[in-house]
Amino acid sequence: MKKLFNILAAALLVLPLLWGCSEKDNLFPDSYKKVFAFKDNSTINLSMNTTQDAVVDSLLILRGGGDPASASTLHMRVMTKAEACEKWGYSENDIEVIPENSFKFVNGADLSLGKDDAYAYTVVSFNPEAIYEAMQSNPKATYILPVELTSSTDTINSDLSQVLFTLNVQRPMLQWGSGNDDLQITYQSLDAKIPVEITQSEYNNV
């Protein structure tokens, strides 16, 4: 009974201190009030073809922390080649970052979240033809888009802040079929079936 009395007395001493504090401002340090992170901090491998106008993928961003219910602004930053090498263990001769004209953040590189938003998507659109053109300058390299989640006002989970896209773009080969059919042209025009086979180019060339 005496032990129970001591516990209750200690609780009564602590509770007024807690009530005298701001519930959110003091229980959680500023750096932990809002924390953002990519849901998947991984390498995303995308294969595409130059016949496609665009290839789209999205990244899910989650918000947490002790006081997440307030507006926030985030930024999608494209990392440098040197930063990508350090993060993912490449040598500089192994990779090339795709040029600016070959991708875009569909909803902008800057994202705004309202106080009631628990997550956000950033959508990335890739231009296969532009990537393929860039690949011709260094065909042996792996072409990448390294993206980092940043914010000037809120905390970013550094363990879940970077995503790597690797891009493989191929161009179809057009092969004409063979045949010895003799056709007669009448009235200066002719409709004829010509056999054509489209195959994938293993070495990205025709």
Side-chain angles (χ1 to χ4, degrees):
M1 178 64 71
K2 184 177 180 180
K3 183 177 181 181
L4 178 60
F5 176 80
N6 290 336
I7 293 174
L8 291 174
L12 290 174
L13 289 173
V14 172
L15 284 175
L17 295 177
L18 294 178
W19 289 333
C21 297
S22 171
E23 181 180 355
K24 293 178 179 178
D25 291 343
N26 294 316
L27 293 181
F28 299 99
D30 288 344
S31 59
Y32 291 100
K33 289 181 179 179
K34 287 183 292 182
V35 181
F36 293 89
F38 285 127
K39 181 180 182 295
D40 296 311
N41 194 37
S42 59
T43 298
I44 301 171
N45 303 306
L46 296 180
S47 295
M48 56 193 75
N49 199 294
T50 55
T51 58
Q52 297 172 276
D53 292 333
V55 173
V56 176
D57 204 352
S58 61
L59 299 171
L60 176 60
I61 301 165
L62 301 177
R63 172 162 64 180
D67 182 20
S70 56
S72 299
T73 300
L74 306 174
H75 179 71
M76 302 295 109
R77 185 181 78 88
V78 177
M79 300 166 63
T80 66
K81 182 178 179 178
E83 289 172 333
C85 289
E86 181 178 357
K87 170 66 178 178
W88 288 283
Y90 289 105
S91 70
E92 290 205 2
N93 294 329
D94 292 338
I95 59 171
E96 297 288 350
V97 178
I98 61 176
E100 291 184 2
N101 70 328
S102 64
F103 72 95
K104 65 179 179 179
F105 295 103
V106 176
N107 46 349
D110 294 311
L111 300 176
S112 296
L113 283 79
K115 64 183 183 65
D116 296 324
D117 296 330
Y119 63 90
Y121 281 98
T122 181
V123 180
V124 189
S125 177
F126 297 94
N127 183 332
E129 183 65 37
I131 298 173
Y132 181 83
E133 293 291 335
M135 290 172 60
Q136 305 317 298
S137 63
N138 188 2
K140 293 184 179 180
T142 298
Y143 281 74
I144 65 169
L145 179 65
V147 179
E148 182 178 29
L149 178 64
T150 67
S151 175
S152 61
T153 57
D154 300 306
T155 301
I156 304 296
N157 184 337
S158 59
D159 293 330
L160 295 169
S161 64
Q162 296 162 327
V163 169
L164 179 69
F165 289 97
T166 66
L167 297 314
N168 177 28
V169 185
Q170 296 186 340
R171 171 167 287 173
M173 294 181 63
L174 186 65
Q175 297 181 344
W176 298 97
S178 60
N180 296 317
D181 294 337
D182 294 327
L183 301 172
Q184 182 178 357
I185 299 177
T186 306
Y187 303 118
Q188 297 182 350
S189 65
L190 174 68
D191 293 330
K193 293 182 178 180
I194 300 176
V196 176
E197 180 182 1
I198 298 178
T199 60
Q200 202 72 13
S201 170
E202 181 179 356
Y203 301 101
N204 288 331
N205 55 33
V206 176

